């Protein structure tokens, strides 16, 4: 497993993230990095169980909690 990091602290972007940020900054309306998807569900939906499952996935995977901002040094 990867070592835990302080998620509240600023972390530098990886080279790939820098490239993606640069390309997106040139054309902010571009959907180039969007990956839309849909799933058809059948039967009755237990909304609370779905919420719990999504929350657990978010807790397990730091990338799903990632936020990006501009940090000026």
């Amino acid at each position: 497993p990867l070592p835990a990091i302080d998620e509240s602290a600023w972390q530098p972007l990886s080279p790939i993230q820098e490239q993606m940020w640069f390309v997106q900054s040139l054309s902010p309306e571009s959907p180039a990095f969007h990956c839309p998807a849909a799933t058809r569900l059948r039967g009755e939906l237990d909304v609370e169980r779905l919420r719990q499952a999504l929350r657990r996935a978010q807790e397990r995977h730091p990338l799903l909690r990632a936020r990006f901002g501009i940090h000026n040094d």
Side-chain angles (χ1 to χ4, degrees):
L2 295 173
I5 60 167
D6 179 2
E7 293 182 28
S8 66
W10 177 82
Q11 301 293 324
L13 295 177
S14 70
I16 296 298
Q17 289 170 324
E18 284 183 15
Q19 290 174 4
M20 291 175 72
W21 178 85
F22 178 73
V23 170
Q24 182 68 22
S25 70
L26 294 176
S27 182
E29 283 77 37
S30 171
F33 297 112
H34 295 213
C35 301
T39 301
R40 183 179 302 268
L41 302 175
R42 296 182 187 180
E44 196 171 326
L45 176 63
D46 185 335
V47 175
E48 187 52 36
R49 287 185 76 180
L50 176 59
R51 235 183 233 122
Q52 290 173 359
L54 293 173
R55 193 175 306 120
R56 281 191 210 114
Q58 185 181 28
E59 289 169 359
R60 279 195 313 266
H61 301 284
L63 185 58
L64 297 177
R65 298 186 300 274
R67 294 176 292 150
F68 298 92
I70 297 174
H71 182 80
N72 296 317
D73 287 333

